[in-house]
Amino acid sequence: MIVVATSDFEVYHGVVTELRDRSVTFTTVEPDETVPDRTAVVVTDADNAATFDDVATIVADPDDPRRAVDQALTTIRGEDGRTVIGVDPGRKPGIAVLNGGVVVAAFQVPLADAVDVIEREVRDAATPVVRIGDGSRLQGATLVNDLEDVRVELVDETGTTPYLGTGARGMEDVLAAVNIARLEGEVVDSREIEPTKGELQLIKDRSRERSDRNRAIDEMLARRVAAGELTIDEALAEHRGVEE
């Protein structure tokens, strides 16, 4: 059983809300009370970190209750707790966070925000690994090159996108990320990929479609879009500025 024992209201509210949202069975006690015999782990605040010597204790950050709940669940499941992040790259990558083999969080964010999300999720993890699918070559290379101080593996993502039935549309990138996280890949430090003429032309065509002047961006800006440095809208704004 998970026991929440804290006198810090923010910790209490955050942790209890997170546990209820996940339908996890738990109980609460005051920090000076005896915990139940079936207690497997106590979630508490920094002031009471040393109060529960005879039971596994998780100290919750009031600004990040989810991480404390993830750690508590890993403890009661008896897992090794390794954090593995799977990424299905693209303009809006799917990101899945697994802890001890269990999915504990999932995201889908613009490419420009993906590295920040990944780095936040691996922060304080003991031996994290980030597994990135080898599709969407240019966006994937951007992620590989921008991630620092973490093990990155490039994974063959063939067959990782599942069939989606009724009501599941829009989840394919996140579900693919879960499958990618569960596949071992090749360790990489960097990935240099030159965009093909076809890829650059596709970016130019998309920029023409988005332009209110029916004009495409030039090749230099297209290359920056391909590298993930700019969105098409940002490239169009720069293009208009040059023309003016």
Side-chain angles (χ1 to χ4, degrees):
M1 176 187 293
I2 294 175
V3 175
V4 181
T6 177
S7 54
D8 185 316
F9 175 76
E10 291 186 13
V11 168
Y12 176 88
H13 181 266
V15 170
V16 166
T17 298
E18 187 74 23
L19 289 166
R20 285 174 176 163
D21 287 346
R22 300 198 200 186
S23 300
V24 177
T25 300
F26 69 95
T27 190
T28 63
V29 299
E30 293 297 323
D32 57 355
E33 293 180 345
T34 302
V35 298
D37 292 337
R38 295 185 296 115
T39 301
V41 59
V42 171
V43 181
T44 188
D45 54 75
D47 290 342
N48 292 288
T51 301
F52 308 95
D53 294 333
D54 55 349
V55 65
T57 302
I58 305 296
V59 177
D61 181 341
D63 295 325
D64 193 7
R66 180 177 68 80
R67 190 174 298 275
V69 172
D70 289 346
Q71 293 172 339
L73 290 172
T74 297
T75 299
I76 64 174
R77 290 172 182 144
E79 297 155 348
D80 61 12
R82 186 184 193 190
T83 297
V84 179
I85 295 184
V87 184
D88 184 30
R91 285 182 292 171
K92 291 188 69 175
I95 302 171
V97 185
L98 279 64
N99 197 309
V102 176
V103 179
V104 296
F107 309 89
Q108 186 163 23
V109 298
L111 181 63
D113 298 331
V115 169
D116 287 342
V117 170
I118 295 167
E119 290 182 339
R120 184 187 69 219
E121 293 301 314
V122 300
R123 189 178 303 133
D124 301 327
T127 56
V129 59
V130 179
R131 292 173 174 159
I132 299 175
D134 62 357
S136 299
R137 304 176 316 124
L138 301 174
Q139 291 91 346
T142 297
L143 294 173
V144 170
N145 295 335
D146 287 350
L147 285 168
E148 299 179 353
D149 302 322
V150 64
R151 178 188 175 98
V152 177
E153 296 179 4
L154 194 64
V155 173
D156 179 359
E157 65 175 56
T158 303
T160 55
T161 301
Y163 166 76
L164 297 180
T166 303
R169 299 287 177 152
M171 298 176 60
E172 56 267 27
D173 295 333
V174 170
L175 293 175
V178 173
N179 289 331
I180 288 168
R182 290 177 168 148
L183 298 172
E184 292 188 5
E186 177 185 354
V187 178
V188 291
D189 294 321
S190 62
R191 194 181 190 203
E192 300 301 330
I193 290 182
E194 179 70 13
T196 65
K197 290 182 179 180
E199 288 168 334
L200 292 173
Q201 187 59 52
L202 180 60
I203 291 171
K204 292 179 183 180
D205 292 344
R206 285 177 177 165
S207 70
R208 186 184 299 279
E209 293 170 0
R210 300 284 288 271
S211 171
D212 54 6
R213 302 181 184 182
N214 195 34
R215 294 183 181 179
I217 59 176
D218 59 30
E219 183 164 323
M220 181 183 70
L221 286 171
R223 286 180 176 276
R224 293 180 65 190
V225 172
E229 296 176 12
L230 298 173
T231 65
I232 287 180
D233 287 338
E234 290 169 341
L236 281 168
E238 287 202 18
H239 188 63
R240 285 193 295 268
V242 171
E243 287 184 334
E244 295 170 357

